[in-house]
Amino acid sequence: MPLTVNVHDAKTQFSRLLEQAHSGQEIILAKAGKPYARLMPLAPEAGARKPGRLAGKIEEAFFEPLPEQELDAWEGK
């Protein structure tokens, strides 16, 4: 459940709120009692891409040209 904090209070408690957000707590910043912004942890970085990791998992048929009927369907003909 998100924690709602007014901007004035957030200014004085920013370091603590930042640590809470980093640990997973979602914090809603409110201005005059109305939700204004969201402070939340960053999404974890995606792993590095590794070329060739699908080697041997894709059949040769994948690389064959599509039949004319299917090409026409993709092109909206």
Side-chain angles (χ1 to χ4, degrees), residues 61-77:
F62 178 82
F63 299 100
E64 293 176 9
L66 293 174
E68 286 297 321
Q69 184 178 1
E70 193 165 342
L71 282 174
D72 290 344
W74 278 101
E75 295 172 357
K77 294 181 182 177

Side-chain angles (χ1 to χ4, degrees), residues 24-77:
Q25 173 73 49
E26 183 178 335
I27 300 164
I28 304 297
L29 300 175
K31 191 171 185 179
K34 296 171 91 174
Y36 207 72
R38 179 181 299 144
L39 183 62
M40 54 193 265
L42 293 173
E45 289 187 26
R49 295 180 68 184
K50 298 177 186 171
R53 68 185 178 115
L54 294 178
K57 296 182 181 180
I58 298 175
E59 297 179 14
E60 287 298 317
F62 178 82
F63 299 100
E64 293 176 9
L66 293 174
E68 286 297 321
Q69 184 178 1
E70 193 165 342
L71 282 174
D72 290 344
W74 278 101
E75 295 172 357
K77 294 181 182 177

